[in-house]
Amino acid sequence: FLFLSLIQPSPVHVLSIDILLVSLWPSEEPVDVVYTEDSPDGRISMNCRARANPPASYRWRRDNWEIKLMEQPDEYYSLVGGNLVITNPRQKKHAGTYICVARNIYGTVISKEARVKFGFVEEFPQEERDPVYVKEGQGAVLLCAPPKVWPQEVTYRWIFNEFPVFLYTDHRRFVSQKTGNLYISKVEAQDAGNYSCFVSSPVTGKSVFSKFIPLIPLPPDDADIRVKFPDTTAMLASNITLECFALGNPIPHIVWRKVDATDLPPNHEISESGAVLHLYNVQYEDVGGYECEAINTKGKDWHKAWLYVESAPEWAETINNTQIDIGSEHTMRCVASGKPFPFIRWYKDGYMKLCSKRNQLSIWLKFSSLTFDDSGMYQCIAENYWGIKYANAELRVIACAPTFEFNPVRKQLLGAKDGRVVIECKPRAAPRPRYTWTKGKELLYNNSRISIMFDGSLEILNATNNDEGMYSCFAENDRGKSNSSGYLTITEATSITEPPEDTEVKVGDEVILRCAASYDPMLDITFIWAIDFRVIDFDSEWEHYERVMVGEDGSGDLRIKNVQIWHEGRYTCVTQTVVDSDTAYADLKIVGVPGPPGVIRVEEIGDTWVKLLWTKGADHNSPIISYTIQTRHNWALNEDDWKDASTTPTFLDGHVEKVEVTDLYPWMEYQFRIIATNEYGSGEASIPSLKIKTWDAAPVISPTDVAGYGGRNGEIVITWTVSKPSVHVT
């Protein structure tokens, strides 16, 4: 077998590719290299090593063409161990996709693809930049016109008058990281000066800047969006930036929104200037239209574009190391998710396997009758625009005579009287052997009670004491034969003698569910309890459930303390020994006060009345007798100041789900809630309704404390006190 060894990359221009010829892929993935031709190192080193016994040999491919290193020396390529070194790399000759191939007698695997790319940053043109004249209060755009750069992940800044004085951006000044252009929404006198576009590449480490540009643009005064983000496709879980900036006087205000949604996604952040919308950890639900609107007192402008989210391949189902008999059928299948749909391909021993079948996101290899030639290292590769995913496994086809060394027939076998007994026979053998069974010296044949199953196991139905004895399994194929034996003992069957009974209990009470069984005294018995087929965990649920200790009479009762509504359900008692088991059921019904009624809806509103609708809540196995309507108004002293309301009809029986609340005050804000009552008492109140305000009406209470007195220059001053409704006086 071959085992993984990780090689740490050297600090400069090193691509680490780790090869694995066993069941697991290395944790460190290949890393693409971006090489700059002015690099002081002058070489690219790609590491590839596999710990193998016998040692692996190595070859390299570039763009699927093998690099000839063994036959003749090369002035650029050299092989050191398994590592490929490229000296004085040149873009036209050495840029491309590289794969390392490791091989020994057990098979061949290929590494993850590693791309070598050449980065560059060209200089700005040396021609003088034309000046632009602009009036104060107008907007301005200074074009960067950046030179050719690769890769295109660069940052833009602007020099103001002299290096290294960089322009500070704010709500009035904005630098687009898409185009490099500088936008000034409202030019002021202090903006006069010379500007230079500064481009930095974090990959190559190189920076360049343009000739200085004097300031002069002439845009309109109203809001005019000049920076418009395009339709954008983002990778799942990535961060993206949408830019939107407007010119105008006064300075426009930028508003962001998501089309057909009340709010922007929670994972958003808007820059201080409002011109940039950041979306972090983008998810599929963030897909949709995004709109920015620029507004000032003279007008507005808006722009809308779409965000699409896609994802790299991920394995939903993949392959594993497999050892399988010669002549067997076998299917290897890979299933991948991703957007767009990943393309899936197969390799065997480093070469593409063409005899595969596809079904949308899955692809499989099917073997109708395995041969030794099918043994080897298989790799499944899923790839789309956003990435590539590898899975690999070894398929080993074996042939051997039957042997019980690793899985003999159990020496001591147990079976329950009148029950079903299965004695397993699972030798290691390839191809599949023929099976025969004996009891003592008697050769066994299939009949109505005894049968030899396809996998070699022996099945005995309705077992009796006469079935006790020594059983032997014989396995034979074209490579040899072997046998293994065990003694079968028949025990008394396990049977529940006192099953639990259906029970009704009130909330807060205690109940015991009985369960007793008869069983063979030579065996140990276990009682397992479950509610609605969920096994009860007595350690974590001790506050309510307690196991009554098993006595000599074979009982295992269940005590439920402080019974609650959620304890209602079907309880199962399972009595189990190592040989057999028995099961009994009982239903536990819980009675108690009603649950809260459903959502309240205000159907109509008047000046002193409203009509309410609601839905019935849980009655908890006792019919609802009546409902009580309560109100709370905006003059309440505290949040819990609920009062019983007047209704029509006055008494609300358990079948009512609609009522008119009366004796309310006009132009008052109210909320309502409902409480249900049955024979066990009143339950919890419903969730309060939305706040509503009754219609206005003529006053029904006159002001009090009316008084008057003479003022200056023939004036009369009249004072009074506004009377509050008596219901609010405490």
Side-chain angles (χ1 to χ4, degrees):
F1 288 89
L2 301 181
F3 299 95
L4 168 68
S5 175
L6 296 179
I7 304 301
Q8 295 296 325
S10 58
V12 182
H13 306 304
V14 175
L15 182 63
S16 179
I17 304 178
D18 304 305
I19 304 288
L20 179 64
L21 300 188
V22 289
S23 59
L24 300 176
W25 194 254
S27 59
E28 182 180 354
E29 294 290 336
V31 179
D32 294 341
V33 165
V34 177
Y35 179 83
T36 55
E37 293 190 352
D38 57 353
S39 170
D41 191 40
R43 68 174 189 169
I44 298 173
S45 177
M46 290 182 283
N47 296 342
C48 179
R49 180 181 298 177
R51 188 183 305 163
N53 186 14
S57 61
Y58 301 90
R59 288 181 177 272
W60 284 82
R61 300 174 191 166
R62 172 178 172 266
D63 295 335
N64 290 324
W65 291 89
E66 187 167 330
I67 301 173
K68 304 296 184 181
L69 295 174
M70 304 298 181
E71 294 79 358
Q72 58 186 14
D74 189 283
E75 62 175 312
Y76 296 104
Y77 292 114
S78 59
L79 191 65
V80 181
N83 303 338
L84 180 67
V85 178
I86 308 174
T87 305
N88 298 321
R90 297 293 179 265
Q91 181 172 356
K92 291 184 178 180
K93 186 175 182 62
H94 301 115
T97 300
Y98 288 78
I99 293 176
C100 176
V101 182
R103 178 185 296 114
N104 72 1
I105 61 173
Y106 289 103
T108 303
V109 292
I110 60 174
S111 73
K112 181 177 179 180
E113 294 177 349
R115 294 172 177 83
V116 173
K117 304 177 182 179
F118 285 71
F120 62 89
V121 179
E122 293 185 356
E123 297 289 339
F124 274 96
Q126 293 303 306
E127 292 82 2
E128 295 294 330
R129 303 293 291 268
D130 294 333
V132 187
Y133 301 93
V134 62
K135 297 178 182 178
E136 290 186 23
Q138 291 185 327
V141 181
L142 276 69
L143 302 180
C144 177
K148 292 182 179 180
V149 176
W150 200 93
Q152 296 178 348
E153 293 81 8
V154 296
T155 58
Y156 296 97
R157 291 187 292 173
W158 281 78
I159 301 171
F160 183 53
N161 287 331
E162 62 180 354
F163 182 85
V165 178
F166 289 99
L167 188 71
Y168 173 74
T169 58
D170 52 22
H171 69 285
R172 194 172 60 85
R173 296 174 292 192
F174 173 71
V175 177
S176 172
Q177 295 303 310
K178 305 292 184 183
T179 63
N181 296 342
L182 169 63
Y183 297 83
I184 304 176
S185 62
K186 177 186 174 184
V187 173
E188 299 176 354
Q190 63 186 13
D191 296 322
N194 295 316
Y195 294 80
S196 173
C197 183
F198 188 87
V199 182
S200 298
S201 170
V203 178
T204 64
K206 184 176 180 180
S207 299
V208 294
F209 55 90
S210 71
K211 288 287 188 178
F212 280 101
I213 307 169
L215 183 60
I216 320 172
L218 299 170
D221 290 337
D222 57 352
D224 177 23
I225 292 180
R226 289 299 185 92
V227 180
K228 299 179 180 181
F229 61 95
D231 288 348
T232 304
T233 300
M235 183 177 176
L236 184 69
S238 66
N239 303 330
I240 66 164
T241 297
L242 306 180
E243 295 182 343
C244 189
F245 189 75
L247 309 181
N249 183 18
I251 298 171
H253 174 62
I254 304 291
V255 177
W256 289 90
R257 61 178 64 90
K258 188 172 187 289
V259 178
D260 299 329
T262 55
D263 298 304
L264 288 168
N267 53 327
H268 83 277
E269 181 178 275
I270 298 175
S271 65
E272 184 178 350
S273 66
V276 178
L277 172 64
H278 299 285
L279 295 177
Y280 301 104
N281 189 26
V282 173
Q283 300 298 310
Y284 286 123
E285 53 266 28
D286 297 329
V287 169
Y290 287 80
E291 181 179 278
C292 71
E293 186 175 30
I295 307 169
N296 67 8
T297 57
K298 295 185 178 181
K300 63 181 180 179
D301 192 11
W302 63 275
H303 171 69
K304 180 175 70 174
W306 285 87
L307 170 66
Y308 305 92
V309 177
E310 298 181 346
S311 60
E314 290 292 339
W315 291 124
E317 181 181 339
T318 188
I319 53 177
N320 296 301
N321 288 347
T322 304
Q323 183 172 285
I324 196 166
D325 298 348
I326 191 171
S328 301
E329 291 185 358
H330 183 58
T331 300
M332 304 177 75
R333 192 163 84 110
C334 283
V335 180
S337 62
K339 192 174 182 182
F341 292 151
F343 174 76
I344 299 179
R345 62 186 188 271
W346 284 85
Y347 285 82
K348 177 181 183 289
D349 290 332
Y351 291 94
M352 185 173 291
K353 192 79 172 173
L354 299 179
C355 54
S356 57
K357 295 185 178 181
R358 172 176 298 279
N359 179 12
Q360 197 173 359
L361 294 184
S362 68
I363 190 169
W364 62 89
L365 295 174
K366 205 161 194 175
F367 304 88
S368 58
S369 180
L370 286 168
T371 67
F372 289 122
D373 290 338
D374 295 319
S375 293
M377 297 300 303
Y378 288 80
Q379 290 178 282
C380 182
I381 301 173
E383 183 176 14
N384 66 9
Y385 173 81
W386 296 101
I388 187 168
K389 201 78 172 179
Y390 284 72
N392 62 287
E394 180 185 7
L395 174 63
R396 179 172 293 185
V397 179
I398 62 170
C400 64
T403 174
F404 288 93
E405 179 182 359
F406 303 102
N407 194 24
V409 174
R410 294 180 60 182
K411 298 303 179 185
Q412 298 297 325
L413 303 164
L414 296 174
K417 183 183 292 186
D418 299 324
R420 175 176 178 264
V421 179
V422 175
I423 306 175
E424 291 185 343
C425 180
K426 294 184 177 180
R428 175 178 294 181
R432 179 182 176 276
R434 299 173 294 279
Y435 297 98
T436 56
W437 279 87
T438 63
K439 180 188 176 189
K441 296 183 178 181
E442 176 189 0
L443 184 63
L444 299 179
Y445 298 94
N446 290 341
N447 57 43
S448 60
R449 217 170 53 83
I450 297 176
S451 61
I452 300 174
M453 304 169 71
F454 179 80
D455 66 355
S457 299
L458 180 68
E459 179 186 52
I460 304 173
L461 303 178
N462 302 318
T464 68
N465 290 333
N466 293 331
D467 292 317
E468 290 188 337
M470 181 67 71
Y471 288 81
S472 299
C473 176
F474 294 83
E476 182 178 2
N477 65 13
D478 57 2
R479 293 179 175 264
K481 59 185 177 179
S482 185
N483 67 85
S484 183
S485 303
Y487 190 87
L488 174 63
T489 301
I490 302 299
T491 64
E492 292 297 324
T494 302
S495 177
I496 292 179
T497 56
E498 186 177 354
E501 297 180 349
D502 293 346
T503 306
E504 181 178 295
V505 64
K506 185 181 176 182
V507 172
D509 289 352
E510 180 179 297
V511 65
I512 293 180
L513 300 180
R514 293 279 296 159
C515 189
S518 63
Y519 58 99
D520 195 299
M522 68 178 289
L523 304 175
D524 292 327
I525 191 169
T526 300
F527 289 83
I528 301 171
W529 282 92
I531 173 175
D532 294 334
F533 306 103
R534 177 187 66 82
V535 176
I536 296 172
D537 185 344
F538 289 94
D539 291 333
S540 63
E541 301 178 75
W542 60 268
E543 292 188 24
H544 294 287
Y545 292 114
E546 180 181 308
R547 192 198 306 271
V548 179
M549 297 300 294
V550 177
E552 294 181 359
D553 59 345
S555 64
D557 301 341
L558 172 67
R559 177 183 286 118
I560 308 175
K561 303 172 290 184
N562 188 19
V563 173
Q564 300 299 312
I565 291 297
W566 58 84
H567 292 142
E568 181 171 285
R570 169 159 289 191
Y571 284 79
T572 304
C573 174
V574 180
T575 59
Q576 185 172 308
T577 67
V578 294
V579 178
D580 62 344
S581 63
D582 196 12
T583 302
Y585 306 93
D587 292 322
L588 182 64
K589 179 188 288 187
I590 312 298
V591 295
V593 299
V599 176
I600 306 171
R601 181 164 60 89
V602 180
E603 187 179 38
E604 294 184 49
I605 303 174
D607 53 357
T608 60
W609 56 270
V610 297
K611 289 183 179 180
L612 304 179
L613 292 175
W614 67 91
T615 55
K616 182 180 179 181
D619 61 12
H620 294 156
N621 299 308
S622 177
I624 295 174
I625 298 172
S626 64
Y627 289 105
T628 302
I629 309 295
Q630 292 187 329
T631 65
R632 179 173 63 186
H633 44 72
N634 57 335
W635 283 4
L637 297 179
N638 56 68
E639 289 293 318
D640 297 324
D641 193 7
W642 290 92
K643 298 183 182 298
D644 292 349
S646 299
T647 61
T648 300
T650 304
F651 178 76
L652 306 178
D653 65 36
H655 298 93
V656 173
E657 294 183 10
K658 181 176 181 179
V659 71
E660 181 177 317
V661 180
T662 59
D663 297 338
L664 302 177
Y665 285 93
W667 201 241
M668 181 77 76
E669 195 175 76
Y670 284 96
Q671 277 183 294
F672 305 92
R673 71 179 187 182
I674 306 177
I675 298 173
T677 303
N678 63 12
E679 64 174 302
Y680 295 100
S682 298
E684 294 182 13
S686 67
I687 297 174
S689 68
L690 296 175
K691 291 181 179 180
I692 61 96
K693 182 176 285 188
T694 53
W695 295 113
D696 54 353
V700 296
I701 301 175
S702 300
T704 60
D705 301 329
V706 179
Y709 57 88
R712 295 180 300 174
N713 300 325
E715 294 177 347
I716 297 177
V717 179
I718 300 174
T719 63
W720 65 89
T721 301
V722 177
S723 297
K724 295 182 180 181
S726 59
V727 69
H728 302 295
V729 179
T730 59

